[in-house]
Amino acid sequence: MGASSGAEVAAELQAVLAQACAALEAQEQGRLQEAAQAFFLARSRVHYTAEALLAPLAAESPGDPDIALAVAACAQLADTYSQAIDWLTKGGSAAVHRAGTQLSEEEGTGGGSEDGTQLWGSGGVGLGELRGGAAARSGGAMPAAAQACLKEVQGSLDEVIGLTAIKQELREAVLLPMRFPQLFTGIRRPQCNLLFFGPPGTGKTMLVEKLAAEAGTPLLCLSPSAVLSKWAGESEKSIRAVFEAAAAMSPAIIFIDEVDSLAPCRSGTGDDLSSRRVLTELLIQMTAATNRPGCLVFVLAASNRPQDCDPALLRRFDRQVEVPPPDAAARAAFFAATVQRPEIASHLSDAELERLAALTEGCTGSDLSVLCRDAAMAPLRELVQSGGLVCCTAEPVLRAITATDFEAAAHKLLGGRGGSTCGSALSVLEASPARDVAAAAFAVAGSVALIKFFDTLERLGFIDKKLSRKLVHTLAGPGFLACWPLFGNAPYSRLIATVVPALNGVRLLLIGNGIVKDERAVMAMSRSGDPAELLRGPLYYVIVLMAVTSLYWRGSPVGLIVASLMCGGDGLADIVGRRFGKGNPLPWNPEKSWAGSAAMFLGGLGMSLGLITLFSSLGYFECDMPGMALTVAAISLVATGVESLPVNQSIDDNLSVPGVAAFLGIMFLQVAALAL
């Protein structure tokens, strides 16, 4: 390891050994509380050395023997100190009580140590041990109000999915002052009071519980139901008892849930006198906890409506931390963690996780938990409905949970609550067909506007009829595909999208069969002015777009390649071939030219890669762009060769080119049609 890094590790381990020597000295003199405190500080320094100093060095130099030796030493020291702490908090509890009683009798200190330090709790200490330890350190029984507020917690902040910045902020504000109190003095004094606010179900309470578990400190939950009483003065007494118990167990965390209901804003003379007294007592105790020497008590509070809290109370909080609903990455990680649970043991692809994350936009962590529990019940419901659970004599076997189960649960959750669970207008729109209908209307309007635009250019004499027809052929399909991201993520979204080309197909059938007269449409889409021509090339064009939409939708690049080669490739081949291909015909087909074939290859390739890049960047599928470019180039080359064959004079290009592209896409990309 480097000289500076080695010196830092050595200095930290030297401080660890000094702390351990102080612990042993205190233990020999019978000051077991101070010994446990010193061992805890030593173990905290060991963890810091291993995680913050040695872990990065081990990642940079995995084979360094010095680093490996230091890591092993830290592990051995941490284990030794843990055993010492365990003995002092469990095996030595009677001695601790006797020492506290003797100290109380001799000096009248109430069981505390001379310097005011107290025994730190640990994540493995049970609730009864915390209560017994607090009683021993306070020289008597813990008040009933404080005992009722003690809560046993387990885990760490790493178990909370997402909220990375908030977790880092909590570690900085709470864990660092606990582990290195000597650093947090003067202007760097700990910011002990924090307020969490945000929509219900975002994980405010869970953050505090996991923080207390990771810190290894007692957690006292000061909820309105636990402290409010109908008897005058009892509520204030309960609040005071909780803060005094926290000071006796310092360092400790007090958590006030729904603080706005415990201390609402004072509005005037009509306020209840008892609520004013409760607020006053809470303000006094929060100030005293911060200024009490030798104690480290953190007051964390949570509220869904911080605007309802009294301004004097809000001023007591050093930080106000907003806890928002999980973002898309956190929602995807939540679903990924859920399917890995042993009772589920399923698997979802990255594309499925991203689709579920998009479908649950705005949902809170609580909403996602409800959704996952409902999805986990889907295989069991099927087994019950089929009678397999009644007739089963052996252990019933449940099928794996699929993305469809999660999507069905999401639609049930969002639809059953009218979309309010997501807490945003966008989520309401996402959970209903309204967004899809609006997107379909936009796509239809865009197609009509495109046709009208080129008709206008034709009337003004800028382009001729053939060029106008081919430009519409080239741009209409890709324009429709570019509208796909506007649709939602519901199972019916692609069906509504399919309606757009389907409406155009019905229109072509009516005009081509003479049921509806539309001379301008016939002249725009046919070569000779015969309405029957609309039942061939233009109708095939529409059918291919319908098939691509219903079979592939946004989850596969195959549909994008098929549509791009049919629209952009074939369209550009005709446009360029007619204008620049007269002097360079193909040897095997004089009706086609090298210029037209080159235009089809480059146009189809460019349009395909452009749409694939767009949809990949939006997260609909993942792909390796260099490899994808080579694959699309090969498909475009083969499709260009098929389009140039003389057989296409009898088989419409709108069938042969998409058919070959779809076949090669399935073969090369190994992607079959996505079932409805």
Side-chain angles (χ1 to χ4, degrees), residues 108-131:
T109 60
S113 63
E114 294 178 3
D115 60 356
T117 58
Q118 304 293 338
L119 178 63
W120 286 26
S122 66
V125 178
L127 190 57
E129 294 168 355
L130 280 175
R131 289 172 176 165

mmCIF file with all atom_site columns, all heavy atoms in Angstrom, residues 108-131:
data_model
loop_
_atom_site.group_PDB
_atom_site.id
_atom_site.type_symbol
_atom_site.label_atom_id
_atom_site.label_alt_id
_atom_site.label_comp_id
_atom_site.label_asym_id
_atom_site.label_entity_id
_atom_site.label_seq_id
_atom_site.pdbx_PDB_ins_code
_atom_site.Cartn_x
_atom_site.Cartn_y
_atom_site.Cartn_z
_atom_site.occupancy
_atom_site.B_iso_or_equiv
_atom_site.pdbx_formal_charge
_atom_site.auth_seq_id
_atom_site.auth_comp_id
_atom_site.auth_asym_id
_atom_site.auth_atom_id
_atom_site.pdbx_PDB_model_num
ATOM 1   N N   . GLY A 1 108 ? -24.408 9.682  45.007 1.00 0.00 ? 108 GLY A N   1
ATOM 2   C CA  . GLY A 1 108 ? -25.711 10.265 44.719 1.00 0.00 ? 108 GLY A CA  1
ATOM 3   C C   . GLY A 1 108 ? -25.870 10.708 43.285 1.00 0.00 ? 108 GLY A C   1
ATOM 4   O O   . GLY A 1 108 ? -26.536 11.694 43.011 1.00 0.00 ? 108 GLY A O   1
ATOM 5   N N   . THR A 1 109 ? -25.211 9.995  42.362 1.00 0.00 ? 109 THR A N   1
ATOM 6   C CA  . THR A 1 109 ? -25.258 10.397 40.958 1.00 0.00 ? 109 THR A CA  1
ATOM 7   C C   . THR A 1 109 ? -26.364 9.726  40.190 1.00 0.00 ? 109 THR A C   1
ATOM 8   O O   . THR A 1 109 ? -26.517 9.975  39.002 1.00 0.00 ? 109 THR A O   1
ATOM 9   C CB  . THR A 1 109 ? -23.926 10.058 40.274 1.00 0.00 ? 109 THR A CB  1
ATOM 10  O OG1 . THR A 1 109 ? -23.715 8.646  40.377 1.00 0.00 ? 109 THR A OG1 1
ATOM 11  C CG2 . THR A 1 109 ? -22.779 10.784 40.932 1.00 0.00 ? 109 THR A CG2 1
ATOM 12  N N   . GLY A 1 110 ? -27.133 8.853  40.817 1.00 0.00 ? 110 GLY A N   1
ATOM 13  C CA  . GLY A 1 110 ? -28.211 8.193  40.090 1.00 0.00 ? 110 GLY A CA  1
ATOM 14  C C   . GLY A 1 110 ? -27.727 7.115  39.176 1.00 0.00 ? 110 GLY A C   1
ATOM 15  O O   . GLY A 1 110 ? -28.409 6.742  38.251 1.00 0.00 ? 110 GLY A O   1
ATOM 16  N N   . GLY A 1 111 ? -26.558 6.577  39.391 1.00 0.00 ? 111 GLY A N   1
ATOM 17  C CA  . GLY A 1 111 ? -26.109 5.447  38.577 1.00 0.00 ? 111 GLY A CA  1
ATOM 18  C C   . GLY A 1 111 ? -25.312 5.841  37.373 1.00 0.00 ? 111 GLY A C   1
ATOM 19  O O   . GLY A 1 111 ? -24.894 4.994  36.616 1.00 0.00 ? 111 GLY A O   1
ATOM 20  N N   . GLY A 1 112 ? -25.073 7.111  37.129 1.00 0.00 ? 112 GLY A N   1
ATOM 21  C CA  . GLY A 1 112 ? -24.312 7.508  35.955 1.00 0.00 ? 112 GLY A CA  1
ATOM 22  C C   . GLY A 1 112 ? -22.831 7.471  36.238 1.00 0.00 ? 112 GLY A C   1
ATOM 23  O O   . GLY A 1 112 ? -22.385 7.401  37.370 1.00 0.00 ? 112 GLY A O   1
ATOM 24  N N   . SER A 1 113 ? -22.023 7.528  35.212 1.00 0.00 ? 113 SER A N   1
ATOM 25  C CA  . SER A 1 113 ? -20.580 7.539  35.381 1.00 0.00 ? 113 SER A CA  1
ATOM 26  C C   . SER A 1 113 ? -20.111 8.942  35.709 1.00 0.00 ? 113 SER A C   1
ATOM 27  O O   . SER A 1 113 ? -20.827 9.914  35.567 1.00 0.00 ? 113 SER A O   1
ATOM 28  C CB  . SER A 1 113 ? -19.896 7.038  34.102 1.00 0.00 ? 113 SER A CB  1
ATOM 29  O OG  . SER A 1 113 ? -20.191 7.905  33.038 1.00 0.00 ? 113 SER A OG  1
ATOM 30  N N   . GLU A 1 114 ? -18.876 9.035  36.150 1.00 0.00 ? 114 GLU A N   1
ATOM 31  C CA  . GLU A 1 114 ? -18.363 10.315 36.606 1.00 0.00 ? 114 GLU A CA  1
ATOM 32  C C   . GLU A 1 114 ? -18.315 11.350 35.490 1.00 0.00 ? 114 GLU A C   1
ATOM 33  O O   . GLU A 1 114 ? -18.553 12.526 35.710 1.00 0.00 ? 114 GLU A O   1
ATOM 34  C CB  . GLU A 1 114 ? -16.970 10.122 37.203 1.00 0.00 ? 114 GLU A CB  1
ATOM 35  C CG  . GLU A 1 114 ? -16.988 9.274  38.475 1.00 0.00 ? 114 GLU A CG  1
ATOM 36  C CD  . GLU A 1 114 ? -15.593 9.074  39.012 1.00 0.00 ? 114 GLU A CD  1
ATOM 37  O OE1 . GLU A 1 114 ? -14.665 9.643  38.427 1.00 0.00 ? 114 GLU A OE1 1
ATOM 38  O OE2 . GLU A 1 114 ? -15.433 8.375  40.014 1.00 0.00 ? 114 GLU A OE2 1
ATOM 39  N N   . ASP A 1 115 ? -17.977 10.908 34.281 1.00 0.00 ? 115 ASP A N   1
ATOM 40  C CA  . ASP A 1 115 ? -17.840 11.869 33.198 1.00 0.00 ? 115 ASP A CA  1
ATOM 41  C C   . ASP A 1 115 ? -19.097 12.003 32.364 1.00 0.00 ? 115 ASP A C   1
ATOM 42  O O   . ASP A 1 115 ? -19.092 12.664 31.335 1.00 0.00 ? 115 ASP A O   1
ATOM 43  C CB  . ASP A 1 115 ? -16.662 11.483 32.299 1.00 0.00 ? 115 ASP A CB  1
ATOM 44  C CG  . ASP A 1 115 ? -16.853 10.108 31.690 1.00 0.00 ? 115 ASP A CG  1
ATOM 45  O OD1 . ASP A 1 115 ? -17.855 9.454  32.041 1.00 0.00 ? 115 ASP A OD1 1
ATOM 46  O OD2 . ASP A 1 115 ? -16.007 9.708  30.881 1.00 0.00 ? 115 ASP A OD2 1
ATOM 47  N N   . GLY A 1 116 ? -20.177 11.368 32.820 1.00 0.00 ? 116 GLY A N   1
ATOM 48  C CA  . GLY A 1 116 ? -21.449 11.511 32.114 1.00 0.00 ? 116 GLY A CA  1
ATOM 49  C C   . GLY A 1 116 ? -21.617 10.598 30.935 1.00 0.00 ? 116 GLY A C   1
ATOM 50  O O   . GLY A 1 116 ? -22.633 10.627 30.273 1.00 0.00 ? 116 GLY A O   1
ATOM 51  N N   . THR A 1 117 ? -20.619 9.760  30.605 1.00 0.00 ? 117 THR A N   1
ATOM 52  C CA  . THR A 1 117 ? -20.773 8.859  29.473 1.00 0.00 ? 117 THR A CA  1
ATOM 53  C C   . THR A 1 117 ? -21.677 7.707  29.840 1.00 0.00 ? 117 THR A C   1
ATOM 54  O O   . THR A 1 117 ? -21.783 7.321  30.991 1.00 0.00 ? 117 THR A O   1
ATOM 55  C CB  . THR A 1 117 ? -19.406 8.307  29.023 1.00 0.00 ? 117 THR A CB  1
ATOM 56  O OG1 . THR A 1 117 ? -18.800 7.646  30.133 1.00 0.00 ? 117 THR A OG1 1
ATOM 57  C CG2 . THR A 1 117 ? -18.507 9.434  28.542 1.00 0.00 ? 117 THR A CG2 1
ATOM 58  N N   . GLN A 1 118 ? -22.356 7.143  28.825 1.00 0.00 ? 118 GLN A N   1
ATOM 59  C CA  . GLN A 1 118 ? -23.309 6.064  29.066 1.00 0.00 ? 118 GLN A CA  1
ATOM 60  C C   . GLN A 1 118 ? -23.013 4.905  28.130 1.00 0.00 ? 118 GLN A C   1
ATOM 61  O O   . GLN A 1 118 ? -22.293 5.040  27.149 1.00 0.00 ? 118 GLN A O   1
ATOM 62  C CB  . GLN A 1 118 ? -24.752 6.568  28.830 1.00 0.00 ? 118 GLN A CB  1
ATOM 63  C CG  . GLN A 1 118 ? -25.146 7.794  29.657 1.00 0.00 ? 118 GLN A CG  1
ATOM 64  C CD  . GLN A 1 118 ? -25.226 7.496  31.125 1.00 0.00 ? 118 GLN A CD  1
ATOM 65  O OE1 . GLN A 1 118 ? -25.388 6.345  31.520 1.00 0.00 ? 118 GLN A OE1 1
ATOM 66  N NE2 . GLN A 1 118 ? -25.099 8.520  31.945 1.00 0.00 ? 118 GLN A NE2 1
ATOM 67  N N   . LEU A 1 119 ? -23.588 3.769  28.467 1.00 0.00 ? 119 LEU A N   1
ATOM 68  C CA  . LEU A 1 119 ? -23.389 2.570  27.659 1.00 0.00 ? 119 LEU A CA  1
ATOM 69  C C   . LEU A 1 119 ? -24.151 2.690  26.348 1.00 0.00 ? 119 LEU A C   1
ATOM 70  O O   . LEU A 1 119 ? -25.333 3.008  26.339 1.00 0.00 ? 119 LEU A O   1
ATOM 71  C CB  . LEU A 1 119 ? -23.892 1.341  28.430 1.00 0.00 ? 119 LEU A CB  1
ATOM 72  C CG  . LEU A 1 119 ? -23.805 -0.003 27.709 1.00 0.00 ? 119 LEU A CG  1
ATOM 73  C CD1 . LEU A 1 119 ? -22.356 -0.344 27.436 1.00 0.00 ? 119 LEU A CD1 1
ATOM 74  C CD2 . LEU A 1 119 ? -24.461 -1.088 28.549 1.00 0.00 ? 119 LEU A CD2 1
ATOM 75  N N   . TRP A 1 120 ? -23.474 2.456  25.253 1.00 0.00 ? 120 TRP A N   1
ATOM 76  C CA  . TRP A 1 120 ? -24.124 2.469  23.942 1.00 0.00 ? 120 TRP A CA  1
ATOM 77  C C   . TRP A 1 120 ? -24.847 1.156  23.746 1.00 0.00 ? 120 TRP A C   1
ATOM 78  O O   . TRP A 1 120 ? -24.336 0.096  24.067 1.00 0.00 ? 120 TRP A O   1
ATOM 79  C CB  . TRP A 1 120 ? -23.099 2.628  22.827 1.00 0.00 ? 120 TRP A CB  1
ATOM 80  C CG  . TRP A 1 120 ? -22.543 3.996  22.732 1.00 0.00 ? 120 TRP A CG  1
ATOM 81  C CD1 . TRP A 1 120 ? -22.445 4.926  23.722 1.00 0.00 ? 120 TRP A CD1 1
ATOM 82  C CD2 . TRP A 1 120 ? -21.999 4.596  21.574 1.00 0.00 ? 120 TRP A CD2 1
ATOM 83  N NE1 . TRP A 1 120 ? -21.864 6.063  23.259 1.00 0.00 ? 120 TRP A NE1 1
ATOM 84  C CE2 . TRP A 1 120 ? -21.578 5.887  21.937 1.00 0.00 ? 120 TRP A CE2 1
ATOM 85  C CE3 . TRP A 1 120 ? -21.814 4.176  20.270 1.00 0.00 ? 120 TRP A CE3 1
ATOM 86  C CZ2 . TRP A 1 120 ? -21.005 6.760  21.033 1.00 0.00 ? 120 TRP A CZ2 1
ATOM 87  C CZ3 . TRP A 1 120 ? -21.232 5.024  19.372 1.00 0.00 ? 120 TRP A CZ3 1
ATOM 88  C CH2 . TRP A 1 120 ? -20.835 6.314  19.757 1.00 0.00 ? 120 TRP A CH2 1
ATOM 89  N N   . GLY A 1 121 ? -26.037 1.228  23.131 1.00 0.00 ? 121 GLY A N   1
ATOM 90  C CA  . GLY A 1 121 ? -26.737 -0.003 22.751 1.00 0.00 ? 121 GLY A CA  1
ATOM 91  C C   . GLY A 1 121 ? -26.082 -0.599 21.538 1.00 0.00 ? 121 GLY A C   1
ATOM 92  O O   . GLY A 1 121 ? -25.223 -0.007 20.908 1.00 0.00 ? 121 GLY A O   1
ATOM 93  N N   . SER A 1 122 ? -26.463 -1.798 21.198 1.00 0.00 ? 122 SER A N   1
ATOM 94  C CA  . SER A 1 122 ? -25.954 -2.449 19.993 1.00 0.00 ? 122 SER A CA  1
ATOM 95  C C   . SER A 1 122 ? -27.103 -3.076 19.256 1.00 0.00 ? 122 SER A C   1
ATOM 96  O O   . SER A 1 122 ? -28.150 -3.335 19.826 1.00 0.00 ? 122 SER A O   1
ATOM 97  C CB  . SER A 1 122 ? -24.928 -3.526 20.345 1.00 0.00 ? 122 SER A CB  1
ATOM 98  O OG  . SER A 1 122 ? -25.541 -4.572 21.053 1.00 0.00 ? 122 SER A OG  1
ATOM 99  N N   . GLY A 1 123 ? -26.904 -3.312 17.960 1.00 0.00 ? 123 GLY A N   1
ATOM 100 C CA  . GLY A 1 123 ? -27.977 -3.842 17.133 1.00 0.00 ? 123 GLY A CA  1
ATOM 101 C C   . GLY A 1 123 ? -28.463 -5.187 17.589 1.00 0.00 ? 123 GLY A C   1
ATOM 102 O O   . GLY A 1 123 ? -29.582 -5.571 17.314 1.00 0.00 ? 123 GLY A O   1
ATOM 103 N N   . GLY A 1 124 ? -27.621 -5.959 18.311 1.00 0.00 ? 124 GLY A N   1
ATOM 104 C CA  . GLY A 1 124 ? -28.045 -7.291 18.726 1.00 0.00 ? 124 GLY A CA  1
ATOM 105 C C   . GLY A 1 124 ? -28.657 -7.330 20.099 1.00 0.00 ? 124 GLY A C   1
ATOM 106 O O   . GLY A 1 124 ? -29.068 -8.376 20.560 1.00 0.00 ? 124 GLY A O   1
ATOM 107 N N   . VAL A 1 125 ? -28.725 -6.206 20.838 1.00 0.00 ? 125 VAL A N   1
ATOM 108 C CA  . VAL A 1 125 ? -29.271 -6.204 22.186 1.00 0.00 ? 125 VAL A CA  1
ATOM 109 C C   . VAL A 1 125 ? -30.778 -6.260 22.107 1.00 0.00 ? 125 VAL A C   1
ATOM 110 O O   . VAL A 1 125 ? -31.394 -5.513 21.364 1.00 0.00 ? 125 VAL A O   1
ATOM 111 C CB  . VAL A 1 125 ? -28.816 -4.942 22.946 1.00 0.00 ? 125 VAL A CB  1
ATOM 112 C CG1 . VAL A 1 125 ? -29.425 -4.915 24.333 1.00 0.00 ? 125 VAL A CG1 1
ATOM 113 C CG2 . VAL A 1 125 ? -27.304 -4.921 23.047 1.00 0.00 ? 125 VAL A CG2 1
ATOM 114 N N   . GLY A 1 126 ? -31.382 -7.148 22.887 1.00 0.00 ? 126 GLY A N   1
ATOM 115 C CA  . GLY A 1 126 ? -32.825 -7.293 22.856 1.00 0.00 ? 126 GLY A CA  1
ATOM 116 C C   . GLY A 1 126 ? -33.522 -6.155 23.563 1.00 0.00 ? 126 GLY A C   1
ATOM 117 O O   . GLY A 1 126 ? -32.917 -5.360 24.283 1.00 0.00 ? 126 GLY A O   1
ATOM 118 N N   . LEU A 1 127 ? -34.861 -6.085 23.394 1.00 0.00 ? 127 LEU A N   1
ATOM 119 C CA  . LEU A 1 127 ? -35.633 -5.007 23.964 1.00 0.00 ? 127 LEU A CA  1
ATOM 120 C C   . LEU A 1 127 ? -35.621 -5.059 25.476 1.00 0.00 ? 127 LEU A C   1
ATOM 121 O O   . LEU A 1 127 ? -35.507 -4.042 26.154 1.00 0.00 ? 127 LEU A O   1
ATOM 122 C CB  . LEU A 1 127 ? -37.072 -5.083 23.436 1.00 0.00 ? 127 LEU A CB  1
ATOM 123 C CG  . LEU A 1 127 ? -37.983 -3.895 23.737 1.00 0.00 ? 127 LEU A CG  1
ATOM 124 C CD1 . LEU A 1 127 ? -37.380 -2.618 23.212 1.00 0.00 ? 127 LEU A CD1 1
ATOM 125 C CD2 . LEU A 1 127 ? -39.356 -4.128 23.126 1.00 0.00 ? 127 LEU A CD2 1
ATOM 126 N N   . GLY A 1 128 ? -35.716 -6.267 26.024 1.00 0.00 ? 128 GLY A N   1
ATOM 127 C CA  . GLY A 1 128 ? -35.684 -6.393 27.476 1.00 0.00 ? 128 GLY A CA  1
ATOM 128 C C   . GLY A 1 128 ? -34.357 -5.950 28.039 1.00 0.00 ? 128 GLY A C   1
ATOM 129 O O   . GLY A 1 128 ? -34.284 -5.327 29.102 1.00 0.00 ? 128 GLY A O   1
ATOM 130 N N   . GLU A 1 129 ? -33.254 -6.254 27.348 1.00 0.00 ? 129 GLU A N   1
ATOM 131 C CA  . GLU A 1 129 ? -31.937 -5.850 27.821 1.00 0.00 ? 129 GLU A CA  1
ATOM 132 C C   . GLU A 1 129 ? -31.772 -4.348 27.769 1.00 0.00 ? 129 GLU A C   1
ATOM 133 O O   . GLU A 1 129 ? -31.144 -3.736 28.636 1.00 0.00 ? 129 GLU A O   1
ATOM 134 C CB  . GLU A 1 129 ? -30.866 -6.539 26.984 1.00 0.00 ? 129 GLU A CB  1
ATOM 135 C CG  . GLU A 1 129 ? -30.856 -8.045 27.192 1.00 0.00 ? 129 GLU A CG  1
ATOM 136 C CD  . GLU A 1 129 ? -29.998 -8.738 26.164 1.00 0.00 ? 129 GLU A CD  1
ATOM 137 O OE1 . GLU A 1 129 ? -29.504 -8.060 25.267 1.00 0.00 ? 129 GLU A OE1 1
ATOM 138 O OE2 . GLU A 1 129 ? -29.828 -9.961 26.267 1.00 0.00 ? 129 GLU A OE2 1
ATOM 139 N N   . LEU A 1 130 ? -32.353 -3.710 26.726 1.00 0.00 ? 130 LEU A N   1
ATOM 140 C CA  . LEU A 1 130 ? -32.273 -2.257 26.660 1.00 0.00 ? 130 LEU A CA  1
ATOM 141 C C   . LEU A 1 130 ? -32.995 -1.626 27.839 1.00 0.00 ? 130 LEU A C   1
ATOM 142 O O   . LEU A 1 130 ? -32.530 -0.688 28.454 1.00 0.00 ? 130 LEU A O   1
ATOM 143 C CB  . LEU A 1 130 ? -32.899 -1.766 25.346 1.00 0.00 ? 130 LEU A CB  1
ATOM 144 C CG  . LEU A 1 130 ? -32.023 -1.867 24.104 1.00 0.00 ? 130 LEU A CG  1
ATOM 145 C CD1 . LEU A 1 130 ? -32.822 -1.461 22.893 1.00 0.00 ? 130 LEU A CD1 1
ATOM 146 C CD2 . LEU A 1 130 ? -30.792 -1.003 24.247 1.00 0.00 ? 130 LEU A CD2 1
ATOM 147 N N   . ARG A 1 131 ? -34.184 -2.174 28.162 1.00 0.00 ? 131 ARG A N   1
ATOM 148 C CA  . ARG A 1 131 ? -34.950 -1.623 29.273 1.00 0.00 ? 131 ARG A CA  1
ATOM 149 C C   . ARG A 1 131 ? -34.227 -1.848 30.599 1.00 0.00 ? 131 ARG A C   1
ATOM 150 O O   . ARG A 1 131 ? -34.121 -0.957 31.442 1.00 0.00 ? 131 ARG A O   1
ATOM 151 C CB  . ARG A 1 131 ? -36.339 -2.262 29.307 1.00 0.00 ? 131 ARG A CB  1
ATOM 152 C CG  . ARG A 1 131 ? -37.216 -1.799 28.146 1.00 0.00 ? 131 ARG A CG  1
ATOM 153 C CD  . ARG A 1 131 ? -38.500 -2.590 28.087 1.00 0.00 ? 131 ARG A CD  1
ATOM 154 N NE  . ARG A 1 131 ? -39.372 -2.068 27.039 1.00 0.00 ? 131 ARG A NE  1
ATOM 155 C CZ  . ARG A 1 131 ? -40.420 -2.709 26.561 1.00 0.00 ? 131 ARG A CZ  1
ATOM 156 N NH1 . ARG A 1 131 ? -40.732 -3.906 27.020 1.00 0.00 ? 131 ARG A NH1 1
ATOM 157 N NH2 . ARG A 1 131 ? -41.183 -2.166 25.640 1.00 0.00 ? 131 ARG A NH2 1
#
